[in-house]
Amino acid sequence: MSKFEFPPSIKSRPVWGTLEPRAGKHHLMIADAAGAEAILGIATPELMAGTHIIYIPRGADHADALRAQNPAQFYEGPTYAASVSRIRRVLQDASMGLQVYLTGTEGLMGQAMHEAMQAGIPHTAIQTEHRGSVARRMQCVHCKGITEDVETDPFVCSHCGLNLFVRDHYSRRLAAYQGVCIDAEDPGNVPEPKGIYE
Amino acid sequence: MTIQFHKETFRGEYSFHNSERAIKRFPFPFDKDSYMYAVNMEQHRGGPADSVYEKRFDVDEHYVSEMEDRALVLADDPLRCQSLPHMTLAGWDLLELIMVSKSEDYPELFELHRDGDQWRWVNKPLGIDDTFTFMDETTLPYGPMEYITRQTQGDFCVLDQRDDNLWMDAGTVTTQADWSLDFDIGMNFFEWHAPVPLAHEKGIFVRALKFLLNIQQGAPARRLNWTMTVNPLLDTSPENYHKWGIQKTTLTPENIGSKQHLRVELQTFFRLPRSNALVFPIRCYLCSFDDLMTVPKWGRRLHRVIRDLPVELATYKGFIDNRPMMLDYLSKFDDGQPTSLGIWPDLETEPPLKVVRSS
C-alpha cells in the first residue's frame, strides 16, 4: 500500500493528491489497477450508495472487492479505450455538484481528467490519487504519436521509432508528457535505458 | 525609406542575409556586459527612427521571404496554427489591430478601406487585395488569426485572460525557439514556461504575469529575448528537431562567423478590445556573428556575455557544446575597452577595435 513519492519537478507536471470523501449526492470514481485500493480506503456504505465506479483492472484482482462495497453502479472495463465512451456518457449527464475521483496510473488519471474538463468540470475540482505503476503516457513531439505505459528513459516511439527522452513537461489537453529525440545531435548515441525515476 | 524585399531562403541553401541597414537596426539584446533573466518590460510606444521599435509591427527587408517560409511550414504541419473554439473573437481583434496598425504605419505598403463591416485589405508586397465582411469567417480563406498572421512577420500567441492567469489558447508559431504550440496550447502562463531554468526561482514569472494582466488597451509593452541558432533557420521547432539538431554540429572555426546566428525575439504585448485577450507577438531577428562584429561595441559585449553566462542558461539555450568555439571566435573582437550602456550600436562614439593580442 506504500505510495510512490514523486520527486519535485517543474510547474507543468501534475501533482497528485489523496482521495477523501466529499459531501454530495453523486460521485464518479474512475480507477485502474491498484487505484482500487484508494477507493476501498474511503468507501463507506453512505458514499457508495451514490457512487458510480468505473474500474479497469489491468491484471489486478480488486474488482470483487469493489463490487462488494455495493456501489450504486459498477462497471468493469477491459481497457481505458473500451471504457471512454461510457465515461463520456456519464459525464454528459453529470449534474451540478458531481464529485469526481480519479485514481491509479498517471495515464488513466490524465485521460479521465481530460474528459471531465471537456464536460466543463475545472481540473482543480477533481480529486486524484496516484497508485501503482509510475509508467508515463508519452507524446512524441515529432510524429505526435502517443506511447502508453513508458517505464524507461530513453524509450523508442511506438509510432515512428525515434529514440526519445522523457521530459517532465506535461500537457493536460493531451494527457501526456513530452518525448524528444535524444540523439538528434549525435545519431546513434543513445544511452542505456533506465527506469524513469532511477 | 523604401524597403527592398529580399528573395531569400531560411532553409536548404540558406540564402538569407542582412543588408548594412538591417545590421545597424538589429535589436541587439544586451544593454550591458552581462546577462541574467529579468522582466525587462517597457512601453511599446515607438523608438528611434528606423529602429525595430519605431512601428507597432515592424516590416523589414525579409518580410516577403519570411511569409513564404511560414506558408511552407504550415503546408508541412498545419498544427503550427491552432485556435481553441472560444478564441475566434480574439482572432478578429488581432486582424483589426494588425490591419489598422500596418495601414497607418506603412501607407505605401498596406491599405485598409472600411465601410461598415465591409472591409477591403490591400497588401502590396504580397499581392493581396481582398474584400470581406468583418466578423464573418466565411468571407475569408482562413480563420481571422491565420489569415492575418500569414501576412505578418513573427509568431503570434493569443492569450485568454481568466482566473488571474493567461492561457495559451491560440497561436501561429513557425519561427519558434524550440517550443511546441501543439503541445503547449491550453496551458497557463506558469505551465508553458515550466521548462525555463532559474527564472521561476527568481520570481520572474510571477512579476511578469502581474504586469501582463494589467496591460491596457492602447498601451502595449515590449521586451527582448534571445538565443543562438546555427544557420539562419526560422523553424527551430521541437517537431523538426530530429532534422535540424544535427546542424549544430557543423560549426568549424572557419565557418562559425557566417553560420552562427544570434537569434533575438522582439516580444510585444497588446490588449485586444472585444475579447480582452492579450496578443503576444514574438518577432524573430537573425544576425550572423560576422555581421554583428562590424559593430565594435557589440563584438566586445557579446564576448563578455557569452563567456560569463551561467551553464544552466547556455545549456537551456542549446549552445553549451559550441560555447568554447564561440568564445575562440568572439575573443578576437574584445580588446578589453569599456562599452557604453544600452543596446544601440553607438558607431559614432564607440572606439574602433584595437588589435587584440593573439590568445
Side-chain angles (χ1 to χ4, degrees), chain B residues 10-218:
Chain B
F10 301 88
R11 55 181 71 207
E13 76 280 17
Y14 293 107
S15 62
F16 164 89
H17 60 286
N18 282 308
S19 68
E20 202 178 315
R21 175 185 170 223
I23 297 168
K24 285 206 181 91
R25 71 198 299 278
F26 183 74
F28 190 74
F30 308 113
D31 63 351
K32 54 183 185 294
D33 287 353
S34 62
Y35 175 81
M36 182 32 80
Y37 285 124
V39 179
N40 67 313
M41 292 279 187
E42 60 180 14
Q43 293 298 312
H44 183 41
R45 285 192 183 146
D50 199 42
S51 73
V52 301
Y53 290 159
E54 187 184 12
K55 314 290 194 193
R56 285 166 280 187
F57 296 92
D58 183 47
V59 175
D60 70 7
E61 63 196 26
H62 309 298
Y63 175 52
V64 174
S65 293
E66 281 188 29
M67 294 301 96
E68 285 170 4
D69 195 73
R70 166 155 296 160
L72 291 173
V73 173
L74 289 175
D76 191 47
D77 181 2
L79 294 173
R80 304 299 188 84
C81 175
Q82 294 190 53
S83 177
L84 297 182
H86 60 281
M87 296 303 283
T88 305
L89 182 63
W92 285 109
D93 276 335
L94 177 62
L95 174 143
E96 176 188 54
L97 173 70
I98 293 176
M99 287 186 178
V100 169
S101 301
K102 282 188 163 181
S103 60
E104 289 175 358
D105 292 351
Y106 299 93
E108 70 286 8
L109 300 178
F110 306 97
E111 293 172 18
L112 178 63
H113 307 278
R114 288 180 284 186
D115 178 11
D117 61 2
Q118 291 304 297
W119 291 24
R120 178 174 166 227
W121 167 247
V122 181
N123 178 335
K124 292 179 187 169
L126 295 184
I128 290 168
D129 185 339
D130 283 339
T131 299
F132 62 95
T133 307
F134 187 68
M135 302 283 263
D136 180 354
E137 277 184 87
T138 63
T139 60
L140 284 175
Y142 306 99
M145 177 189 74
E146 180 167 357
Y147 177 78
I148 198 60
T149 57
R150 280 176 176 268
Q151 301 179 44
T152 311
Q153 289 166 277
D155 286 344
F156 285 81
C157 303
V158 189
L159 315 177
D160 194 26
Q161 183 159 332
R162 59 180 193 272
D163 302 336
D164 288 325
N165 213 323
L166 294 167
W167 301 81
M168 176 85 69
D169 284 349
T172 299
V173 176
T174 67
T175 67
Q176 66 282 264
D178 207 4
W179 66 278
S180 167
L181 172 74
D182 180 52
F183 194 81
D184 289 0
I185 193 168
M187 289 189 191
N188 71 36
F189 190 76
F190 299 115
E191 291 168 346
W192 86 69
H193 284 117
V196 181
L198 303 180
H200 291 273
E201 294 84 332
K202 289 173 181 292
I204 299 283
F205 292 122
V206 172
R207 271 178 289 143
L209 177 63
K210 200 167 179 177
F211 180 91
L212 294 172
L213 290 173
N214 286 301
I215 284 184
Q216 304 293 312
Q217 249 192 80

Side-chain angles (χ1 to χ4, degrees), chain A residues 77-100:
Chain A
T79 60
Y80 179 80
S83 313
V84 68
S85 56
R86 181 186 180 101
I87 291 172
R88 284 181 193 143
R89 180 68 185 81
V90 172
L91 286 165
Q92 193 188 324
D93 275 356
S95 54
M96 200 65 151
L98 173 78
Q99 296 291 345
V100 178

Side-chain angles (χ1 to χ4, degrees), chain A residues 185-198:
Chain A
E185 297 177 36
D186 191 0
N189 184 5
V190 180
E192 200 57 37
K194 291 197 304 184
I196 289 173
Y197 300 97
E198 278 172 35

Side-chain angles (χ1 to χ4, degrees), chain B residues 325-349:
Chain B
M325 204 192 302
M326 288 180 183
L327 291 175
D328 280 347
Y329 172 94
L330 293 170
S331 62
K332 300 183 182 71
F333 299 89
D334 185 359
D335 54 15
Q337 297 198 69
T339 54
S340 57
L341 277 180
I343 65 172
W344 308 108
D346 298 333
L347 284 165
E348 286 73 32
T349 48

Side-chain angles (χ1 to χ4, degrees), chain A residues 11 13 17 37 43 46 62 75 79-80 83 87-88 92 110 115 126 129 131 163 189-190:
Chain A
K11 286 180 186 292
R13 193 219 193 287
E37 295 170 359
E46 299 75 42
H62 300 297
Y75 165 79
T79 60
Y80 179 80
S83 313
I87 291 172
R88 284 181 193 143
Q92 193 188 324
E115 295 300 331
I126 299 168
E129 180 166 339
R131 292 286 181 127
N163 297 295
N189 184 5
V190 180

Side-chain angles (χ1 to χ4, degrees), chain A:
Chain A
M1 287 279 287
S2 70
K3 282 174 67 180
F4 184 75
E5 287 288 322
F6 291 103
S9 182
I10 62 175
K11 286 180 186 292
S12 58
R13 193 219 193 287
V15 177
W16 311 110
T18 302
L19 298 189
E20 49 185 65
R22 282 191 185 155
K25 266 200 271 187
H26 300 287
H27 305 266
L28 174 62
M29 300 188 181
I30 306 174
D32 71 354
E37 295 170 359
I39 294 180
L40 293 171
I42 60 166
T44 60
E46 299 75 42
L47 182 64
M48 285 296 127
T51 295
H52 183 167
I53 294 178
I54 292 176
Y55 181 60
I56 299 140
R58 306 186 69 185
D61 56 359
H62 300 297
D64 288 342
L66 289 172
R67 211 178 269 115
Q69 302 298 317
N70 293 316
Q73 277 177 277
F74 182 81
Y75 165 79
E76 183 180 334
T79 60
Y80 179 80
S83 313
V84 68
S85 56
R86 181 186 180 101
I87 291 172
R88 284 181 193 143
R89 180 68 185 81
V90 172
L91 286 165
Q92 193 188 324
D93 275 356
S95 54
M96 200 65 151
L98 173 78
Q99 296 291 345
V100 178
Y101 307 72
L102 311 175
T103 177
T105 61
E106 293 197 276
L108 178 279
M109 290 189 287
Q111 292 177 89
M113 179 177 285
H114 175 74
E115 295 300 331
M117 288 165 62
Q118 291 294 107
I121 302 171
H123 71 91
T124 47
I126 299 168
Q127 289 198 67
T128 59
E129 180 166 339
H130 174 263
R131 292 286 181 127
S133 165
V134 296
R136 293 187 183 189
R137 183 175 144 90
M138 300 294 306
Q139 190 203 35
C140 172
V141 75
H142 311 292
C143 79
K144 309 293 183 185
I146 300 266
T147 304
E148 305 281 354
D149 299 316
V150 171
E151 292 179 334
T152 64
D153 177 20
F155 70 102
V156 176
C157 175
S158 63
H159 300 262
C160 69
L162 284 175
N163 297 295
L164 306 179
F165 69 93
V166 171
R167 291 187 84 190
D168 280 353
H169 199 30
Y170 180 84
S171 161
R172 268 196 301 275
R173 187 181 69 94
L174 300 167
Y177 292 90
Q178 190 176 65
V180 179
C181 183
I182 196 168
D183 57 340
E185 297 177 36
D186 191 0
N189 184 5
V190 180
E192 200 57 37
K194 291 197 304 184
I196 289 173
Y197 300 97
E198 278 172 35

